[in-house]
Amino acid sequence: MRYLMFAMLLGVSVASATGCQKSQAAAIQKIPVQGTVTLDGKPLEGAEVIFTTPLLSTFTAETGADGSFQLSSAAGGPAVCDGLCKVTVSKFVMPPGKTAQPNMSPQLQGARQVIPPRYSDALYTTLSVTVPEGGGKFDFPLTGQ
């Protein structure tokens, strides 16, 4: 089951990364769901936030320097995120002295996950929210221990 979820998330990532960049940019829609992510009380920059609905629609965002995020839908994906959503937050860091190559998954380049599995693993995440119709603001104060 864990591999099935990984394959599905990988498929969504690949699908959103392929195709013509110009048409892809036009198809990505901002979703009225936003918030902040902190780790041990500090803003978490450069983390990927994923909201997944029971029907496996996914909405993603990357956190800014202040830990803030604004969800968007993948190219051609749904434009509405409401109801119960499972949430994952992940961040991969390259080994010292290595730089990530563009257009290649950091995991395939030896990057390590710095967020505990209780937040970063789609099967084990303890994070979930109920998004009201029309969106909302959600803050995720994560701890490293």
Side-chain angles (χ1 to χ4, degrees):
M1 180 70 178
R2 183 176 179 154
Y3 295 108
L4 176 61
M5 184 61 105
F6 175 77
M8 289 171 33
L9 289 174
L10 182 60
V12 169
S13 297
V14 170
S16 66
T18 59
C20 175
Q21 214 169 20
K22 186 174 183 180
S23 65
Q24 186 181 46
I28 293 176
Q29 299 180 32
K30 294 291 183 192
I31 307 299
V33 176
Q34 58 187 305
T36 57
V37 179
T38 57
L39 180 62
D40 297 325
K42 297 177 183 166
L44 183 61
E45 180 179 9
E48 182 179 34
V49 180
I50 301 174
F51 280 50
T52 305
T53 69
L55 297 176
L56 300 179
S57 293
T58 58
F59 302 88
T60 63
E62 183 173 330
T63 58
D66 61 353
S68 67
F69 68 90
Q70 165 92 48
L71 290 186
S72 60
S73 68
V80 176
C81 175
D82 61 10
L84 181 64
C85 293
K86 186 181 273 195
V87 179
T88 57
V89 178
S90 66
K91 181 174 180 175
F92 288 90
V93 175
M94 293 298 291
K98 290 192 87 177
T99 304
Q101 299 299 312
N103 302 322
M104 186 176 175
S105 168
Q107 301 93 305
L108 296 176
Q109 299 177 62
R112 67 177 181 85
Q113 176 66 257
V114 295
I115 306 298
R118 69 180 175 275
Y119 309 125
S120 62
D121 189 304
L123 290 177
Y124 301 110
T125 185
T126 58
L127 304 174
S128 67
V129 296
T130 300
V131 179
E133 188 174 329
K137 183 173 182 339
F138 302 95
D139 295 328
F140 299 101
L142 312 180
T143 58
Q145 297 302 322

